[in-house]
Amino acid sequence: MKQLSGVGVLDKAALVLNAVEASPASLGDLVTRTGLTRATAHRLAVALEVHRLVGRDPSGRFVPGPRLAAGGAAPLPWALLAAAAPVLAQLRDATGESTQLYVRRGDVRVCVAAAERASGLRDTVPVGTMLPMAAGSGAQVLLAFGADPFPGWDASAGSAAGPAARVGPAGSIAGPAELPAGAVFEASALEQVRQRGWADSVGEREAGLASVSAPVRDATGRVVAALSLSGPVERLTRSPGQRHGAAVAAAAERLSG
């Protein structure tokens, strides 16, 4: 193997990261894609998993971990992520449905933690999955309570933003809730989300699937993530928020702060 950095183990680890960024990879896939021995590929992948640079999908294949998937200028709330596992598991066990935690990264939301049902892979969302901000209850929550001004908002307008403006963290004024291109929900839906404290969706992201989401806040009250529950419409019904909204909001409240 050609060394690029002069640090052999780092170059080998980079090969593993490149391999999982391409697509989910079994151990055999890692060996094929990297040229490393089976033992070395496994050792490095497991070590990278400990540091959350690599994760696993429901089939056990290696995928980008939350540090890769949610990388960017905005730091990932690691303390929140560490606390999320038991809360997501409790909500899954209480409802029998898969649960997830999403953070926004520009035009997408990223699943950074999940507690999956033992069966029903069709409605699972592996850690590292990137989903559009144009559909789904998680997107609605992150848009409705987003800390950053929405695209197209003129920061110089200040409180003159008009009746559609809303109050952001620490009393700051956030702009009108402009919808992402191709959004399948109306702007009025975001106001409803803010009023009741949770969002639900039926078939927005994928036909036959429903979800419920609620905002997770940091110690300052700023919304930093969306806690979600998802499953087939047959179980969640066409009014999933009526069925699980209170439970999801309560779980998000436990995780907040």
Side-chain angles (χ1 to χ4, degrees), residues 70 74-84 87-88 100-105 108-113 133 137-148 193 197-199 212-229 248-249 251-253 255-257:
L76 195 63
W78 293 109
L80 172 69
L81 192 60
V87 175
L88 292 175
Q100 306 86 29
L101 186 71
Y102 295 99
V103 297
R104 183 177 182 180
R105 288 297 181 261
V108 299
R109 55 187 169 108
V110 183
C111 179
V112 294
M133 289 293 294
S137 63
Q140 291 182 38
V141 163
L142 293 171
L143 285 168
F145 296 99
D148 297 324
V193 172
W198 50 262
V212 185
S213 300
V216 177
R217 303 175 186 272
D218 64 13
T220 70
R222 182 173 65 97
V223 171
V224 294
L227 188 151
S228 300
L229 173 152
V248 173
E253 181 64 26
L255 190 54
S256 294

Side-chain angles (χ1 to χ4, degrees), residues 56-74:
R56 304 280 187 120
D57 70 7
S59 298
R61 297 176 300 178
F62 295 102
V63 296
R67 286 198 179 198
L68 286 184

Side-chain angles (χ1 to χ4, degrees), residues 104-183:
R104 183 177 182 180
R105 288 297 181 261
D107 294 334
V108 299
R109 55 187 169 108
V110 183
C111 179
V112 294
E116 304 293 1
R117 300 176 71 246
S119 60
L121 294 182
R122 188 172 69 92
D123 49 89
T124 62
V125 181
V127 171
T129 299
M130 296 184 183
L131 299 175
M133 289 293 294
S137 63
Q140 291 182 38
V141 163
L142 293 171
L143 285 168
F145 296 99
D148 297 324
F150 290 95
W153 176 54
D154 182 1
S156 66
S159 59
R166 58 189 176 83
V167 179
S172 62
I173 301 296
E178 290 192 11
L179 298 179

Side-chain angles (χ1 to χ4, degrees), residues 84-102:
V87 175
L88 292 175
Q90 289 166 9
L91 181 60
R92 176 202 59 198
D93 294 344
T95 62
E97 304 297 344
S98 299
T99 56
Q100 306 86 29
L101 186 71
Y102 295 99

Side-chain angles (χ1 to χ4, degrees), residues 197-212:
W198 50 262
D200 64 358
S201 67
V202 176
E204 285 190 2
R205 185 174 59 81
E206 183 176 340
L209 294 183
S211 67
V212 185

